[in-house]
Amino acid sequence: MKKLSTLQWETSVGALGKVDEEAFRSGRLCLIDQTLLPMERAHATCREVAQVWAAIKKLQVRGAPAIGIAAAYGVCIGLQTLFADGRTPSMAEFYERLDEVTAYLASSRPTAVNLFWALDRMKSRAERLPGTISPEKACVRLLAEAKAIHREDKVLCRKMGAYGATLVSDGDGLLTHCNAGGLATADYGTALAVFFTAHKQGKKIHVFADETRPLLQGARLTSWEMREHGIPVTLLCDSMAALVMRQGKINAVFVGADRIAANGDTANKIGTYSVAVCAKAHKVPFYVVAPSTTFDLTLRNGSGIPIEERDPEEVRCGFGKQTAPDGIEIYNPAFDVTPARLITGIVTEFGIISPVTRANIAKILGSEKR
Ligand code: MRU
């Protein structure tokens, strides 16, 4: 079966690796439409920045690193309008449009810091352009930056996988929540990179995937990814994790992250906090796997992390079937914050931070990083 890429910049000249005026002008963002999985494998194509915004908002592309990459390409798509109808814009118009497009994309989802990190990186690349550059050449440089963000994320995944796999033993049962795999990143995932790497090393592992209410990223995406890689997986309703831990079937928990504060408090998919509490109660190690791009060292702790609240209909009427009475009050936060004290270690591309303390985080990431 043809391998679908989570994200891909496609051009009508077909020169995927080339970054020139034609690759910029005719480019569009293709992404696996994750809302259709696992029943349908199809790409969505974004030719306008509003489509990129909607793809992020609707979770056609989701997972913190993937959102950042999509947004970086989204900036390029937003800049294409500068050249509509053969216009020749000025550099002042280039910077004005760049501000407009980055602010717009930043309004799509609030929690995953990778989105803001990628947009900041695109803007700071633009600020470093030579004063004599043409708008068209400036756009080519920004497309090259988006591609660099995309490429670098693949490397991060592999490094996290290698560090994380040192925590896995032959025969382990491993629990995860939501989807922090290939679909959520450029390549191999964060938490799931650990499973893929351990599996490749020949360790026999068994994965337990929480289904992850309300949008079922665990059921639809993680169990699908495990099967694609030939890793044995058992799907659980979220409420079953404590029992399975008590039965002694779980040796460790690995989850991804959307934003990690300077003290290690970690925002991830709603329900992660409950899993961490259960893991603590059953003395099961609980690991977060995330690249440095997911840390927000401007926040002293997790209380400042903005938590996205989503449409109540996702709970009342998930996947087209009403399961609660009309008019019932619904609370639908998409993320929660797991306090650092419940986290055994954070696996990054630089190594494993354990114990999770402000000092250890600063040491590994370098406090000057942001
Ligand atoms: O709402 P989602 O599906 O974007 O939430 C995703 C998660 O919570 C992931 O665990 C997180 O982004 C890490 S992805 C490597």
Short mmCIF file of all heavy atoms in Angstrom, two decimals, residues 59 61-65 67 109 112 177-181 184-185 189-191 215 217 221 255-258 267-270 272 289 291 308 310 334-335, ligand 1:
data_model
loop_
_atom_site.label_atom_id
_atom_site.label_comp_id
_atom_site.label_asym_id
_atom_site.label_seq_id
_atom_site.Cartn_x
_atom_site.Cartn_y
_atom_site.Cartn_z
N LEU A 59 -8.90 19.39 13.47
CA LEU A 59 -8.09 18.19 13.78
C LEU A 59 -7.87 17.27 12.58
O LEU A 59 -7.62 16.08 12.73
CB LEU A 59 -8.71 17.40 14.94
CG LEU A 59 -8.33 17.79 16.36
CD1 LEU A 59 -8.56 19.27 16.66
CD2 LEU A 59 -9.03 16.95 17.39
N VAL A 61 -5.37 17.83 10.82
CA VAL A 61 -3.97 17.65 11.22
C VAL A 61 -3.93 17.99 12.70
O VAL A 61 -4.52 18.98 13.14
CB VAL A 61 -3.01 18.53 10.39
CG1 VAL A 61 -3.32 20.01 10.50
CG2 VAL A 61 -1.56 18.28 10.79
N ARG A 62 -3.29 17.14 13.49
CA ARG A 62 -3.31 17.32 14.94
C ARG A 62 -2.07 16.69 15.55
O ARG A 62 -1.31 15.99 14.88
CB ARG A 62 -4.59 16.73 15.54
CG ARG A 62 -4.83 15.31 15.00
CD ARG A 62 -5.39 14.37 15.96
NE ARG A 62 -4.56 14.19 17.11
CZ ARG A 62 -3.46 13.44 17.13
NH1 ARG A 62 -3.01 12.81 16.05
NH2 ARG A 62 -2.76 13.31 18.25
N GLY A 63 -1.89 16.96 16.86
CA GLY A 63 -0.65 16.56 17.51
C GLY A 63 0.30 17.74 17.44
O GLY A 63 0.44 18.37 16.39
N ALA A 64 0.92 18.06 18.58
CA ALA A 64 1.64 19.33 18.70
C ALA A 64 2.68 19.58 17.59
O ALA A 64 2.63 20.62 16.92
CB ALA A 64 2.26 19.42 20.09
N PRO A 65 3.63 18.64 17.35
CA PRO A 65 4.62 18.94 16.32
C PRO A 65 4.01 19.08 14.92
O PRO A 65 4.40 19.97 14.16
CB PRO A 65 5.58 17.74 16.38
CG PRO A 65 5.41 17.21 17.79
CD PRO A 65 3.96 17.41 18.09
N ILE A 67 1.06 20.14 14.12
CA ILE A 67 0.38 21.43 14.03
C ILE A 67 1.39 22.54 13.71
O ILE A 67 1.15 23.42 12.88
CB ILE A 67 -0.36 21.75 15.36
CG1 ILE A 67 -1.54 20.80 15.57
CG2 ILE A 67 -0.85 23.19 15.37
CD1 ILE A 67 -2.20 20.94 16.95
N ARG A 109 -5.58 27.14 17.40
CA ARG A 109 -5.68 26.33 18.63
C ARG A 109 -4.70 26.90 19.66
O ARG A 109 -3.57 27.23 19.31
CB ARG A 109 -5.33 24.84 18.36
CG ARG A 109 -6.34 24.13 17.46
CD ARG A 109 -6.07 22.62 17.41
NE ARG A 109 -6.58 21.95 18.59
CZ ARG A 109 -6.32 20.66 18.87
NH1 ARG A 109 -5.56 19.95 18.06
NH2 ARG A 109 -6.83 20.09 19.95
N ALA A 112 -1.12 23.78 22.18
CA ALA A 112 0.17 23.24 21.73
C ALA A 112 1.13 24.37 21.41
O ALA A 112 0.90 25.16 20.48
CB ALA A 112 -0.02 22.35 20.51
N HIS A 177 -1.83 7.25 25.98
CA HIS A 177 -3.10 7.97 25.95
C HIS A 177 -3.05 8.92 24.76
O HIS A 177 -2.03 9.54 24.51
CB HIS A 177 -3.26 8.76 27.26
CG HIS A 177 -4.61 9.37 27.45
ND1 HIS A 177 -5.71 8.63 27.87
CD2 HIS A 177 -5.06 10.63 27.29
CE1 HIS A 177 -6.76 9.43 27.95
NE2 HIS A 177 -6.39 10.65 27.60
N CYS A 178 -4.13 9.04 24.03
CA CYS A 178 -4.22 9.88 22.84
C CYS A 178 -3.33 9.32 21.74
O CYS A 178 -3.06 8.12 21.70
CB CYS A 178 -3.86 11.34 23.16
SG CYS A 178 -4.34 12.51 21.84
N ASN A 179 -2.86 10.17 20.85
CA ASN A 179 -1.97 9.70 19.78
C ASN A 179 -0.76 10.62 19.69
O ASN A 179 -0.90 11.81 19.39
CB ASN A 179 -2.67 9.68 18.41
CG ASN A 179 -1.67 9.39 17.29
OD1 ASN A 179 -1.14 10.31 16.68
ND2 ASN A 179 -1.40 8.12 17.04
N ALA A 180 0.40 10.07 19.99
CA ALA A 180 1.66 10.81 19.88
C ALA A 180 2.57 10.02 18.96
O ALA A 180 3.70 9.66 19.30
CB ALA A 180 2.28 11.01 21.26
N GLY A 181 2.04 9.72 17.77
CA GLY A 181 2.77 8.87 16.83
C GLY A 181 3.15 9.60 15.55
O GLY A 181 3.28 10.82 15.52
N ALA A 184 1.10 12.50 14.42
CA ALA A 184 1.17 13.73 15.21
C ALA A 184 2.49 14.47 15.01
O ALA A 184 2.71 15.53 15.61
CB ALA A 184 1.00 13.38 16.69
N THR A 185 3.36 13.90 14.18
CA THR A 185 4.69 14.47 13.98
C THR A 185 5.07 14.34 12.50
O THR A 185 4.28 13.88 11.69
CB THR A 185 5.73 13.70 14.82
OG1 THR A 185 5.70 12.33 14.39
CG2 THR A 185 5.44 13.75 16.31
N GLY A 189 6.82 9.95 15.57
CA GLY A 189 6.13 10.20 16.82
C GLY A 189 7.07 10.56 17.95
O GLY A 189 8.28 10.65 17.80
N THR A 190 6.44 10.78 19.13
CA THR A 190 7.20 11.06 20.35
C THR A 190 7.05 9.83 21.26
O THR A 190 7.90 8.97 21.28
CB THR A 190 6.72 12.36 21.02
OG1 THR A 190 5.33 12.23 21.37
CG2 THR A 190 6.94 13.55 20.12
N ALA A 191 5.91 9.72 21.96
CA ALA A 191 5.69 8.54 22.81
C ALA A 191 5.71 7.26 21.97
O ALA A 191 6.32 6.25 22.35
CB ALA A 191 4.37 8.68 23.56
N LEU A 215 -12.71 12.44 21.31
CA LEU A 215 -12.49 12.34 19.86
C LEU A 215 -11.75 11.08 19.44
O LEU A 215 -11.44 10.88 18.27
CB LEU A 215 -11.79 13.61 19.34
CG LEU A 215 -12.66 14.87 19.47
CD1 LEU A 215 -11.94 16.11 18.92
CD2 LEU A 215 -14.01 14.71 18.78
N GLN A 217 -8.75 9.65 19.68
CA GLN A 217 -7.46 9.58 18.99
C GLN A 217 -6.75 8.26 19.26
O GLN A 217 -6.01 7.75 18.41
CB GLN A 217 -6.55 10.74 19.43
CG GLN A 217 -6.95 12.11 18.90
CD GLN A 217 -7.89 12.84 19.84
OE1 GLN A 217 -8.63 12.23 20.60
NE2 GLN A 217 -7.90 14.16 19.78
N LEU A 221 -6.52 6.33 15.95
CA LEU A 221 -5.20 6.62 15.38
C LEU A 221 -4.08 5.77 15.98
O LEU A 221 -3.29 5.18 15.24
CB LEU A 221 -4.87 8.12 15.56
CG LEU A 221 -5.98 9.09 15.10
CD1 LEU A 221 -5.60 10.53 15.42
CD2 LEU A 221 -6.27 8.92 13.61
N VAL A 255 3.46 9.03 27.31
CA VAL A 255 2.51 9.93 26.63
C VAL A 255 3.28 11.07 25.97
O VAL A 255 4.44 11.33 26.31
CB VAL A 255 1.48 10.53 27.62
CG1 VAL A 255 0.59 9.45 28.22
CG2 VAL A 255 2.16 11.34 28.71
N GLY A 256 2.61 11.78 25.07
CA GLY A 256 3.20 12.96 24.45
C GLY A 256 2.87 14.20 25.28
O GLY A 256 2.43 14.10 26.43
N ALA A 257 3.09 15.37 24.69
CA ALA A 257 2.80 16.62 25.40
C ALA A 257 2.48 17.71 24.39
O ALA A 257 2.93 17.68 23.24
CB ALA A 257 3.99 17.05 26.24
N ASP A 258 1.69 18.67 24.86
CA ASP A 258 1.37 19.84 24.03
C ASP A 258 2.10 21.08 24.50
O ASP A 258 2.36 21.99 23.72
CB ASP A 258 -0.14 20.08 24.03
CG ASP A 258 -0.82 19.04 23.15
OD1 ASP A 258 -1.09 17.93 23.66
OD2 ASP A 258 -1.01 19.31 21.96
N ALA A 267 1.02 19.86 29.88
CA ALA A 267 -0.33 19.78 29.29
C ALA A 267 -0.31 18.72 28.20
O ALA A 267 0.59 18.68 27.36
CB ALA A 267 -0.71 21.13 28.69
N ASN A 268 -1.28 17.84 28.26
CA ASN A 268 -1.47 16.85 27.20
C ASN A 268 -2.97 16.56 27.13
O ASN A 268 -3.77 17.12 27.90
CB ASN A 268 -0.65 15.58 27.48
CG ASN A 268 -0.61 14.64 26.28
OD1 ASN A 268 -0.34 15.07 25.16
ND2 ASN A 268 -0.92 13.37 26.48
N LYS A 269 -3.35 15.70 26.24
CA LYS A 269 -4.75 15.39 25.99
C LYS A 269 -5.53 15.13 27.28
O LYS A 269 -5.02 14.46 28.19
CB LYS A 269 -4.82 14.16 25.07
CG LYS A 269 -6.18 13.64 24.71
CD LYS A 269 -7.13 14.68 24.18
CE LYS A 269 -6.58 15.46 22.99
NZ LYS A 269 -7.37 16.68 22.68
N ILE A 270 -6.73 15.62 27.33
CA ILE A 270 -7.59 15.43 28.50
C ILE A 270 -7.63 13.93 28.88
O ILE A 270 -7.80 13.07 28.01
CB ILE A 270 -9.02 15.98 28.23
CG1 ILE A 270 -9.86 16.00 29.50
CG2 ILE A 270 -9.74 15.24 27.11
CD1 ILE A 270 -9.47 17.05 30.47
N THR A 272 -4.99 12.60 30.52
CA THR A 272 -3.60 12.24 30.83
C THR A 272 -3.35 12.35 32.34
O THR A 272 -2.67 11.51 32.95
CB THR A 272 -2.63 13.17 30.06
OG1 THR A 272 -2.90 13.06 28.68
CG2 THR A 272 -1.18 12.81 30.33
N VAL A 289 7.08 12.13 26.66
CA VAL A 289 8.08 12.16 25.59
C VAL A 289 7.78 13.37 24.72
O VAL A 289 6.68 13.47 24.14
CB VAL A 289 8.03 10.87 24.74
CG1 VAL A 289 9.21 10.82 23.77
CG2 VAL A 289 8.02 9.63 25.63
N PRO A 291 9.76 16.82 22.30
CA PRO A 291 10.96 17.54 21.88
C PRO A 291 11.09 18.89 22.59
O PRO A 291 10.11 19.37 23.18
CB PRO A 291 10.73 17.74 20.38
CG PRO A 291 9.24 17.77 20.23
CD PRO A 291 8.68 16.87 21.29
N GLU A 308 -7.49 24.68 25.73
CA GLU A 308 -8.54 24.81 24.72
C GLU A 308 -9.83 24.17 25.20
O GLU A 308 -9.82 23.05 25.71
CB GLU A 308 -8.06 24.10 23.44
CG GLU A 308 -9.09 24.07 22.32
CD GLU A 308 -8.58 23.28 21.10
OE1 GLU A 308 -7.58 22.55 21.21
OE2 GLU A 308 -9.21 23.39 20.04
N ARG A 310 -13.41 22.93 23.66
CA ARG A 310 -13.97 22.65 22.34
C ARG A 310 -15.49 22.56 22.37
O ARG A 310 -16.11 22.59 23.43
CB ARG A 310 -13.33 21.37 21.77
CG ARG A 310 -11.84 21.57 21.48
CD ARG A 310 -11.21 20.40 20.78
NE ARG A 310 -11.77 20.13 19.46
CZ ARG A 310 -11.34 20.69 18.32
NH1 ARG A 310 -10.34 21.54 18.33
NH2 ARG A 310 -11.91 20.36 17.16
N ALA A 334 -10.04 20.30 26.14
CA ALA A 334 -9.35 19.34 25.29
C ALA A 334 -8.06 18.83 25.93
O ALA A 334 -7.50 17.83 25.47
CB ALA A 334 -9.05 19.97 23.94
N PHE A 335 -7.59 19.52 26.96
CA PHE A 335 -6.30 19.14 27.58
C PHE A 335 -6.40 19.27 29.09
O PHE A 335 -7.27 19.97 29.60
CB PHE A 335 -5.17 20.07 27.06
CG PHE A 335 -5.02 19.99 25.56
CD1 PHE A 335 -5.65 20.91 24.73
CD2 PHE A 335 -4.26 18.99 24.99
CE1 PHE A 335 -5.55 20.80 23.35
CE2 PHE A 335 -4.14 18.88 23.61
CZ PHE A 335 -4.79 19.79 22.79
O1 MRU B 1 -6.20 17.42 20.31
P1 MRU B 1 -5.02 16.70 19.76
O2 MRU B 1 -5.37 15.40 19.11
O3 MRU B 1 -4.18 17.60 18.87
O4 MRU B 1 -4.12 16.35 21.02
C1 MRU B 1 -2.88 15.75 20.81
C2 MRU B 1 -2.18 15.34 22.04
O5 MRU B 1 -2.61 15.60 23.14
C3 MRU B 1 -0.85 14.67 21.85
O6 MRU B 1 -0.61 13.76 22.89
C4 MRU B 1 0.26 15.72 21.85
O7 MRU B 1 -0.01 16.74 20.93
C5 MRU B 1 1.58 15.13 21.54
S1 MRU B 1 1.75 14.65 19.85
C6 MRU B 1 3.33 14.12 19.61
#
